[in-house]
Amino acid sequence: MKWIFVNIMKYKMIIAVRDDLDLSCGKIAAQASHAAVGCAFEAKKSYTNWFKKWQSEGGKKVVVRVEDLDELLDLERVAKSRKLPTYLITDAGLTEIPPETVTCLGIGPAPNELVDPITGELPLLK
Amino acid sequence: MKWIFVNIMKYKMIIAVRDDLDLSCGKIAAQASHAAVGCAFEAKKSYTNWFKKWQSEGGKKVVVRVEDLDELLDLERVAKSRKLPTYLITDAGLTEIPPETVTCLGIGPAPNELVDPITGELPLLK
């Protein structure tokens, strides 16, 4: 018998990180974690059905990169206009970057068909 | 008048990532986000007072590295023995690593005086 893996996850959270800040990997991981926690609680409160389904599938998270602040804020604007959960992270700037630097944006969890059209073309963070 | 910044955050979450897997930065960020979300919900449910105080301070997260799986599991054992919130992440392994690979561990949020003795010597993930 041959098993074929089929990805059946229908919900995801996207975390978009600014590429122009040259953050260390540890800093990116911390900022992405801020966004993920922020989005998860926002979704649990205001998008309960999406949140529950996303969690039951394992809580898929995809980390992508955007070129700069303008692209990040554009993405936030579009996601909000489509009524998706969003959470923008502004860093206190105690370590690598100046205070009040916007570093990343969480979108979702939301159904793939709503998230993919606005984030599907963004490159994965490698 | 001269202002002196004093770090008054008394609670933190630690995310410890395995260094031996050579994960990409994006993968680390996603795994750390899983741990952060897992720990945050665990703490909200079972360590409500710590969770609320941590959140009110801004939800500090620190990403550190451990050498390998043994060190990660040792850290989990010690954290559990001290009754701290923990959340171990096992990756589905659909991308960079074999299925069921343990990648990282979240500890906390908890008071610094309980977290620092067991994680304070771990190197920050750069």
Side-chain angles (χ1 to χ4, degrees):
Chain A
M1 187 187 292
K2 191 175 173 186
W3 290 91
I4 299 173
F5 177 80
V6 180
N7 188 338
I8 55 163
M9 286 181 280
K10 294 179 178 169
Y11 292 79
K12 67 177 65 145
M13 177 190 288
I14 299 290
I15 301 161
V17 181
R18 276 178 67 180
D19 211 24
D20 60 324
L21 295 174
D22 286 326
L23 300 174
S24 71
C25 197
K27 186 81 181 176
I28 288 175
Q31 299 295 306
S33 298
H34 288 311
V37 170
C39 268
F41 279 100
E42 168 65 17
K44 190 179 184 202
K45 189 177 67 178
S46 305
Y47 301 77
T48 310
N49 190 36
W50 289 356
F51 173 79
K52 283 183 181 169
K53 289 183 174 168
W54 171 73
Q55 263 215 328
S56 72
E57 291 178 354
K60 183 175 180 180
K61 299 168 190 76
V62 180
V63 183
V64 299
R65 56 191 170 84
V66 295
E67 281 186 17
D68 52 24
L69 179 61
D70 285 347
E71 192 179 359
L72 196 74
L73 296 180
D74 276 350
L75 186 60
E76 185 194 30
R77 187 180 45 73
V78 175
K80 280 178 180 282
S81 75
R82 300 192 181 196
K83 309 264 188 281
L84 301 181
T86 62
Y87 203 91
L88 192 71
I89 298 299
T90 302
D91 190 65
L94 306 178
T95 51
E96 294 178 25
I97 45 179
E100 305 305 312
T101 301
V102 174
T103 58
C104 65
L105 170 74
I107 300 175
N112 293 340
E113 65 266 26
L114 299 182
V115 178
D116 291 346
I118 65 172
T119 64
E121 299 292 314
L122 295 172
L124 289 174
L125 181 70
K126 297 286 186 188
Chain B
M1 188 187 291
K2 188 175 171 185
W3 291 90
I4 299 173
F5 178 81
V6 180
N7 187 339
I8 55 162
M9 287 181 281
K10 293 178 178 171
Y11 293 79
K12 67 176 69 149
M13 178 189 289
I14 300 290
I15 303 162
V17 180
R18 276 177 67 181
D19 210 23
D20 60 325
L21 295 175
D22 287 325
L23 300 174
S24 71
C25 197
K27 186 80 180 175
I28 288 174
Q31 300 294 306
S33 297
H34 287 313
V37 171
C39 267
F41 280 99
E42 168 65 18
K44 190 179 184 201
K45 189 176 68 177
S46 304
Y47 301 78
T48 310
N49 190 35
W50 288 357
F51 173 79
K52 283 182 180 169
K53 288 183 175 168
W54 171 72
Q55 263 214 328
S56 72
E57 290 177 357
K60 183 176 180 180
K61 299 169 191 76
V62 180
V63 183
V64 300
R65 56 190 170 86
V66 294
E67 282 187 16
D68 52 24
L69 179 61
D70 284 348
E71 192 179 358
L72 197 73
L73 296 180
D74 276 350
L75 187 59
E76 184 194 31
R77 186 181 45 73
V78 175
K80 280 178 180 282
S81 75
R82 299 193 181 193
K83 309 264 187 280
L84 302 181
T86 62
Y87 203 91
L88 192 70
I89 297 300
T90 303
D91 190 65
L94 306 178
T95 51
E96 295 177 26
I97 46 178
E100 306 304 313
T101 302
V102 173
T103 57
C104 66
L105 170 73
I107 301 175
N112 292 342
E113 65 266 25
L114 298 182
V115 179
D116 291 346
I118 66 172
T119 65
E121 298 293 314
L122 296 172
L124 289 176
L125 180 69
K126 296 289 185 185

